[in-house]
Amino acid sequence: MVAREKMLACTHVLHAFAPFKPADLFAKLAQSDYAQLPSDVYGAGGASDLVVERLKELFGTSGARFCIKGMIAQMAALRAAVERQGNNLVAIHRMTHFDIDEMEAVEILHPIQFRRLGTAYQPFTVDDLDKMGEVPGVVSVELPVRRAGYKLTPLEELVKISNWCRERGVHFHLDGARVFGVAEAYGKSLKEIMALCDSLYCSFYKELANIGGCGLLADEEFLAESDVWFTRHGANVPFEFPQAITALIGLDEFLPRIGEFTAFAKALAAAFNKIDGVRTVPLVPETPNFQVHIEAPKAALEAAFEKQIEADKVWLSGHALPTIYDEVQAIEVAIGAGSMSLSVEEWANYLSQSVGTARNEIEV
Amino acid sequence: MVAREKMLACTHVLHAFAPFKPADLFAKLAQSDYAQLPSDVYGAGGASDLVVERLKELFGTSGARFCIKGMIAQMAALRAAVERQGNNLVAIHRMTHFDIDEMEAVEILHPIQFRRLGTAYQPFTVDDLDKMGEVPGVVSVELPVRRAGYKLTPLEELVKISNWCRERGVHFHLDGARVFGVAEAYGKSLKEIMALCDSLYCSFYKELANIGGCGLLADEEFLAESDVWFTRHGANVPFEFPQAITALIGLDEFLPRIGEFTAFAKALAAAFNKIDGVRTVPLVPETPNFQVHIEAPKAALEAAFEKQIEADKVWLSGHALPTIYDEVQAIEVAIGAGSMSLSVEEWANYLSQSVGTARNEIEV
């Protein structure tokens, strides 16, 4: 693992969260029209209200809520849903981010019982729901499933799952952390995706590159029921305007560029797949996110990345994740405006160099 | 209740949370030396690390954590403490802020059982602990108890409570939302207060006027045990530098002025107490916070405040709280740099006018 601080000295970073100098961001924000609005007070007024209006318009819902932390919004939504349903069984994908990356927070903090469906590699299907043998109170689908290699439930399957829930009176929640790229992949509007579910969480700090915050979309009645859970989880911070203003800028500047980000991801993956010992997952990315699997020992690969970071000031990755093959390591790629500072060919050349270095080191 | 938006047009606001224009704050922040540091990444690096260093230095602890929301920090501390103790009984004051103002969040989200001590009007004493008849895992003291009229546990009593806990192996937690003013009131250093307890929460957005965020102080070992609870509660936000940088500015600019704020609060309360039908609680404030009790009907008082807000652009309060006397209403005063924009005499004159208007309206 390469020390994160080394990212600061890099001129090009293939990563959604490149550190930056707060002073530069503040200077930009001071010029924003949104910063001329008064501050919110505990999330009411100013930019926060505007985010809510924009979200309702984009997703066609009667209600929307802005929240500084996604984990809180999803816990509030799941808890409100199980309380409404009178059924605490929640069907999720086995690799669901809010389960495996947050230390079982949901089940530990709430009287919720997860039923973990599918394999570690593909989204679950309506068949998996049929096979459950019981009817859950809530079905949650992550789009795409990050920890299953950014695999996206096909639209046709999503519609089937939606219908399955409707027929049984099950609350259907979408974990749409990356829903803006997903809408592009489906060729559908955000309203059309929203129409399939009862509640949807979207994140502003993935494709839209803001400094934090998320939206919870649902009808007004459901949001009113979730309100008490937002409060109990500490969502009512005195001021949320820094996150709200950058969310508005993200919607203005980056939402129109999602197609561009996806096209870049596809071209980048195609170029990466030509490198010996490299293949991407998905083979053809559907959204701006994908994994790169590299046949090289972990230590050699990370050392090669570090060498490149120091010599060329280019950051491809600082950390290799395990795959099912001991000899294959994975890195994650998230395309946004920042990661497009080099051309596809330039990034592919840098990756090729790092992989070459790592693989030559094996032979030594 | 006066609409909060009307505060925006006021030139003088007797309130800790006067809305402001984010653009002005961003322009100021862009000039701060702290904004020249790189951003944090999920709370690591940049201004966040610096807040932690400053906190450890001020409180003399081996560990400190910065967190964007106080409710999360206190829940993490209480849960880690009961897990360590193997005893889920937590003794608190009956009017404890994190209990009564957060919809019983702690007991609903955690397997914690509160034992609510004392009356609604005074801090509890070591005698109340003796009378419990059982030994709790944790004792938590709020300094001062806001919902009991900002009454402060006398230092001598606090020492007794600390000893009581030490003798029985009970974890002693201090809810020090306003600990900077409390240290001034006790004439003790923050280190001396910290030495009495096992964990302490301090807020940056009371006397120190930052935009949000808090500190949890304890030894490194306890903080390591609380870490998983911070994560489960969603404390790991991608960037916390806006809150961290304003916290550092608050420590630099406002911490040295706490004595001045307290003296102003005392002088203001003395002047307010000369007004017919007005008395403050405490009669002599010990910290920069106090309540003002006004003998006037709620509707007439709020109407009088609203009239003054519109005519003079002066905001004393927008909302009257009930007291035990139907004919007496309470407002809260928190002195900080913002609320010192008028002299004691000027504020007292404005209050006298509003109270006069409200009380004359009774006679009509």
Side-chain angles (χ1 to χ4, degrees):
Chain A
M1 195 162 180
V2 186
R4 199 90 175 194
E5 294 77 59
K6 297 202 175 183
M7 200 188 261
L8 297 172
C10 290
T11 44
H12 302 286
V13 176
L14 190 64
H15 193 287
F17 281 119
F20 50 91
K21 204 167 70 175
D24 298 336
L25 179 71
F26 290 139
K28 179 186 169 178
L29 292 179
Q31 301 303 316
S32 164
D33 286 346
Y34 299 124
Q36 308 305 318
L37 297 168
S39 80
D40 62 294
V41 178
Y42 283 101
S48 296
D49 285 358
L50 216 53
V51 176
V52 166
E53 285 316 307
R54 292 285 292 278
L55 284 173
K56 280 156 64 171
E57 205 180 293
L58 281 168
F59 287 89
T61 50
S62 60
R65 167 144 190 168
F66 182 67
C67 177
I68 49 143
K69 179 66 183 175
M71 189 60 197
I72 293 178
Q74 301 220 75
M75 284 198 287
L78 293 179
R79 180 64 182 263
V82 298
E83 294 290 334
R84 172 187 273 200
Q85 298 289 116
N87 176 345
N88 76 337
L89 187 64
V90 176
I92 61 170
H93 187 271
R94 175 167 310 287
M95 303 303 283
T96 294
H97 182 60
F98 64 60
D99 183 34
I100 68 168
D101 288 319
E102 305 282 356
M103 298 169 165
E104 283 76 16
V106 177
E107 284 181 323
I108 288 176
L109 296 175
H110 296 278
I112 282 174
Q113 184 76 50
F114 281 146
R115 185 77 165 76
R116 297 170 176 84
L117 305 180
T119 71
Y121 313 116
Q122 288 87 22
F124 67 77
T125 66
V126 78
D127 285 347
D128 293 307
L129 290 172
D130 279 334
K131 283 179 203 150
M132 276 182 68
E134 54 194 330
V135 177
V138 179
V139 169
S140 174
V141 168
E142 184 182 344
L143 296 175
V145 188
R146 174 183 179 180
R147 296 296 180 199
Y150 298 103
K151 299 277 180 62
L152 183 60
T153 303
L155 179 60
E156 194 188 327
E157 195 65 39
L158 194 71
V159 172
K160 278 188 202 165
I161 295 172
S162 170
N163 290 336
W164 191 94
C165 290
R166 291 271 150 86
E167 284 158 16
R168 288 158 182 81
V170 173
H171 183 102
F172 187 29
H173 176 74
L174 284 178
D175 176 346
R178 296 168 177 82
V179 74
F180 302 106
V182 167
E184 176 75 24
Y186 286 157
K188 292 288 174 188
S189 69
L190 295 167
K191 284 192 182 82
E192 287 169 310
I193 294 173
M194 187 71 219
L196 297 173
C197 69
D198 299 301
S199 57
L200 184 148
Y201 150 81
C202 69
S203 169
F204 292 108
Y205 61 91
K206 272 86 185 187
E207 309 102 319
L208 306 192
N210 93 328
I211 61 165
C214 70
L216 182 65
L217 287 307
D219 61 39
E220 277 181 308
E221 198 188 338
F222 181 76
L223 281 176
E225 290 170 25
S226 70
D227 201 49
V228 69
W229 298 108
F230 276 99
T231 301
R232 288 187 179 128
H233 273 291
N236 299 330
V237 295
F239 299 107
E240 57 185 31
F241 64 85
Q243 286 78 14
I245 291 172
T246 53
L248 290 167
I249 293 173
L251 289 170
D252 288 343
E253 288 186 12
F254 302 120
L255 185 51
R257 294 182 62 188
I258 294 285
E260 198 186 323
F261 299 158
T262 306
F264 194 88
K266 284 180 202 280
L268 199 58
F272 283 0
N273 279 312
K274 287 182 190 142
I275 301 168
D276 195 36
V278 170
R279 65 177 294 164
T280 67
V281 178
L283 208 53
V284 179
E286 298 179 85
T287 69
N289 297 76
F290 60 96
Q291 288 184 354
V292 186
H293 288 216
I294 301 163
E295 202 176 321
K298 178 178 164 72
L301 186 61
E302 290 183 350
F305 284 140
E306 187 157 18
K307 204 166 154 184
Q308 191 163 67
I309 286 161
E310 285 167 358
D312 304 320
K313 313 271 177 231
V314 166
W315 180 286
L316 277 160
S317 176
H319 183 43
L321 302 165
T323 73
I324 202 163
Y325 307 109
D326 289 344
E327 68 278 17
V328 175
Q329 321 305 325
I331 63 170
E332 295 194 300
V333 173
I335 299 301
S339 40
M340 287 168 68
S341 70
L342 290 178
S343 70
V344 165
E345 293 68 33
E346 287 166 318
W347 283 121
N349 279 337
Y350 282 117
L351 180 64
S352 180
Q353 280 171 26
S354 262
V355 173
T357 307
R359 287 164 65 91
N360 282 336
E361 280 179 16
I362 310 173
E363 291 158 29
V364 175
Chain B
M1 193 163 181
V2 186
R4 199 89 177 194
E5 293 76 59
K6 297 202 175 181
M7 200 189 262
L8 297 173
C10 289
T11 45
H12 301 287
V13 176
L14 190 64
H15 192 287
F17 280 119
F20 50 90
K21 205 166 69 175
D24 297 337
L25 179 71
F26 290 138
K28 178 186 171 180
L29 292 179
Q31 301 302 316
S32 164
D33 285 346
Y34 299 125
Q36 309 305 318
L37 298 168
S39 79
D40 63 294
V41 178
Y42 283 101
S48 296
D49 284 358
L50 217 52
V51 176
V52 166
E53 285 316 306
R54 292 286 292 278
L55 284 174
K56 280 158 60 173
E57 206 180 292
L58 281 169
F59 288 88
T61 51
S62 60
R65 168 144 189 168
F66 182 67
C67 177
I68 49 144
K69 179 66 185 176
M71 190 60 197
I72 292 178
Q74 301 219 78
M75 285 198 288
L78 293 180
R79 180 65 183 264
V82 298
E83 294 289 335
R84 173 186 272 200
Q85 297 289 115
N87 175 346
N88 76 337
L89 186 64
V90 177
I92 61 170
H93 186 271
R94 167 167 319 285
M95 303 302 282
T96 294
H97 182 59
F98 62 61
D99 182 34
I100 69 168
D101 288 320
E102 304 283 357
M103 298 171 165
E104 282 76 15
V106 177
E107 284 181 323
I108 288 176
L109 296 175
H110 295 279
I112 282 174
Q113 183 78 50
F114 281 145
R115 184 79 164 75
R116 297 172 177 82
L117 304 181
T119 71
Y121 313 116
Q122 287 88 20
F124 67 77
T125 65
V126 78
D127 284 347
D128 293 307
L129 290 172
D130 278 333
K131 284 179 204 150
M132 276 182 70
E134 53 194 331
V135 177
V138 180
V139 168
S140 174
V141 168
E142 184 182 343
L143 295 176
V145 188
R146 174 182 178 181
R147 297 296 181 199
Y150 298 104
K151 299 275 181 64
L152 183 60
T153 303
L155 180 59
E156 194 189 328
E157 194 65 39
L158 194 71
V159 172
K160 281 189 201 164
I161 295 172
S162 171
N163 290 337
W164 191 94
C165 290
R166 290 272 151 86
E167 285 158 16
R168 288 157 183 81
V170 173
H171 182 103
F172 187 29
H173 176 73
L174 284 179
D175 176 347
R178 295 168 177 82
V179 74
F180 302 107
V182 168
E184 177 75 24
Y186 285 156
K188 292 287 174 189
S189 70
L190 295 167
K191 283 192 183 83
E192 287 169 309
I193 295 174
M194 187 71 220
L196 297 173
C197 69
D198 300 301
S199 56
L200 183 148
Y201 151 82
C202 69
S203 170
F204 292 107
Y205 61 91
K206 273 86 184 185
E207 308 103 320
L208 305 191
N210 95 327
I211 61 165
C214 70
L216 182 65
L217 286 308
D219 61 40
E220 276 182 309
E221 197 187 338
F222 182 76
L223 281 175
E225 290 169 25
S226 72
D227 201 50
V228 68
W229 299 108
F230 277 98
T231 301
R232 288 187 179 127
H233 273 292
N236 299 331
V237 296
F239 300 107
E240 55 185 31
F241 64 85
Q243 286 78 15
I245 291 172
T246 52
L248 290 167
I249 293 174
L251 289 171
D252 289 343
E253 290 186 10
F254 301 120
L255 185 52
R257 294 183 61 191
I258 295 286
E260 197 186 324
F261 300 158
T262 305
F264 194 87
K266 284 179 201 280
L268 199 57
F272 283 0
N273 280 312
K274 288 183 190 142
I275 301 167
D276 195 34
V278 171
R279 65 177 293 164
T280 66
V281 177
L283 207 55
V284 179
E286 297 179 86
T287 69
N289 296 78
F290 60 96
Q291 288 184 354
V292 187
H293 288 216
I294 301 163
E295 201 175 323
K298 179 179 163 71
L301 186 62
E302 290 183 350
F305 286 141
E306 187 157 18
K307 205 166 154 182
Q308 190 163 68
I309 286 160
E310 285 168 359
D312 304 320
K313 314 271 177 230
V314 166
W315 179 287
L316 278 160
S317 176
H319 182 41
L321 302 165
T323 72
I324 201 164
Y325 307 109
D326 289 344
E327 67 278 17
V328 176
Q329 321 305 326
I331 64 170
E332 294 193 298
V333 173
I335 299 302
S339 40
M340 287 170 67
S341 70
L342 290 179
S343 70
V344 165
E345 293 68 32
E346 286 167 317
W347 282 121
N349 280 337
Y350 281 118
L351 180 64
S352 180
Q353 281 171 27
S354 263
V355 173
T357 307
R359 286 163 66 91
N360 282 337
E361 279 178 17
I362 310 172
E363 292 159 28
V364 173

